[in-house]
Amino acid sequence: MSNFNKPKTIVANWKMNPVSFGEAESLIKTIKNGIQESDKTKIIICPPVVYLSKIKANSSFDLGIQNIFWEDEGAYTGEISAVIAKNLKIKYTIIGHSERRKYLNETDEMVNLKIQSALKNNISPILCIGETLKEKQEDQAIEVIVIQVEKALNNITKSQIINSEFQIAYEPIWAIGTGETPSINEIMSACLLIRKIVSNLYDRETAEKISILYGGSVNSKNAFDFVDKTGMDGLLIGGASLNGSEFARIVELFG
Ligand code: 13P
């Protein structure tokens, strides 16, 4: 069902790294120097929010914010809205990363509100979903994925999805930062399952329009197969995106 001619999307999620703008700048420089412009890949860099403007001014990469709040403005100390991100010309936002679900108790309902706010402000969501190790061991992964996708997309219309660059990242929590990864078959099954859920909620056209990414211990050795052999449209990369030459190597696999 996936379109193999679609450019592959490679997203760098820097999380709460690096700790100085100087390091962020040199990371961007290393990435820039390591890759060739290609219409076969689409790169999105998601740095800590305080670096966004400066990176935007100094590079041509598409940028994403790692999180947004669901209200547009007001007394919400410490939060950043989709409107603020839009006014900074940010085009993408990660929503519902498992680290936020875990450390900040983000719920599926909050994730849904954030998606609504992003879409209202023309920011394309990168929705993160995925099961824990316990859920996998107890054979609950499919149910967890179904619930997460259905709740995240509650009240979201087909046209909102079709008119955005909506992406769903399958990130099994047990694979994040652990060096453990699912098998090719498991990644392929997750990709098919997510398209099936979207197809059931909307239709086939919507399911084909959504990009599905894999994330969790991606490196330059496993990256190509995780996309090429599974039907995934790209990758969401944490640790390996903090090593500029390793990240560039991954991008170049698809160039
Ligand atoms: P790692 O690539 O470090 O496993 O992190 C994946 C991730 O959480 C990206 O959002």
Side-chain angles (χ1 to χ4, degrees):
M1 264 169 124
S2 104
N3 179 355
F4 288 95
N5 296 323
K6 235 189 331 200
K8 304 303 177 209
T9 305
I10 317 290
V11 185
N13 177 11
W14 287 0
K15 308 189 180 184
M16 203 169 67
N17 304 288
V19 294
S20 71
F21 181 68
E23 289 166 274
E25 216 173 11
S26 77
L27 188 46
I28 285 287
K29 221 175 269 172
T30 311
I31 296 170
K32 217 189 301 180
N33 292 338
I35 58 174
Q36 313 273 340
E37 288 253 337
S38 162
D39 54 11
K40 292 187 185 150
T41 52
K42 175 168 188 54
I43 302 167
I44 302 170
I45 310 279
C46 304
V49 65
V50 288
Y51 303 152
L52 278 169
S53 295
K54 279 211 233 172
I55 293 178
K56 178 104 206 144
N58 296 317
S59 82
S60 58
F61 288 119
D62 278 333
L63 298 181
I65 188 166
Q66 295 175 14
N67 171 52
I68 51 159
F69 192 61
W70 57 79
E71 296 290 349
D72 286 351
E73 61 187 310
Y76 304 101
T77 301
E79 296 296 330
I80 308 283
S81 69
V83 178
I84 295 175
K86 178 178 68 178
N87 289 337
L88 288 175
K89 311 240 172 337
I90 303 304
K91 298 209 296 207
Y92 303 90
T93 179
I94 296 174
I95 294 180
H97 193 280
S98 60
E99 287 148 13
R100 296 195 59 84
R101 294 181 192 251
K102 178 178 171 190
Y103 298 116
L104 295 150
N105 297 325
E106 226 172 81
T107 63
D108 289 323
E109 289 69 27
M110 290 154 86
V111 165
N112 174 252
L113 290 174
K114 290 177 180 204
I115 290 176
Q116 294 192 39
S117 179
L119 291 170
K120 191 179 80 183
N121 288 290
N122 292 323
I123 296 184
S124 294
I126 304 168
L127 162 67
C128 297
I129 57 158
E131 79 283 359
T132 62
L133 182 59
K134 185 163 177 281
E135 288 161 346
K136 177 183 164 64
Q137 286 166 341
E138 293 174 357
D139 280 333
Q140 290 171 352
I142 292 179
E143 199 184 325
V144 168
I145 293 171
V146 170
I147 290 172
Q148 285 179 338
V149 174
E150 286 185 354
K151 289 197 169 173
L153 295 179
N154 189 30
N155 288 324
I156 307 293
T157 65
K158 169 177 171 166
S159 79
Q160 281 179 301
I161 294 181
I162 296 284
N163 293 318
S164 70
E165 288 178 49
F166 206 109
Q167 310 188 58
I168 299 180
Y170 171 58
E171 297 205 305
I173 295 168
W174 51 272
I176 296 178
T178 58
E180 301 280 326
T181 61
S183 66
I184 295 292
N185 272 342
E186 286 172 322
I187 296 176
M188 182 164 40
S189 302
C191 188
L192 287 169
L193 172 64
I194 294 164
R195 271 196 221 286
K196 181 113 202 313
I197 302 165
V198 177
S199 181
N200 288 345
L201 288 174
Y202 303 91
D203 54 21
R204 195 183 160 133
E205 183 192 5
T206 316
E208 283 175 10
K209 176 71 180 27
I210 280 188
S211 287
I212 306 179
L213 315 179
Y214 168 75
S217 295
V218 173
N219 58 44
S220 59
K221 293 199 176 72
N222 58 26
F224 188 74
D225 285 354
F226 283 173
V227 173
D228 189 59
K229 296 194 167 144
T230 63
M232 286 282 175
D233 299 301
L235 300 163
L236 176 53
I237 306 177
S241 73
L242 295 170
N243 175 334
S245 33
E246 173 71 351
F247 183 73
R249 261 194 299 280
I250 295 172
V251 171
E252 286 300 289
L253 293 170
F254 302 96

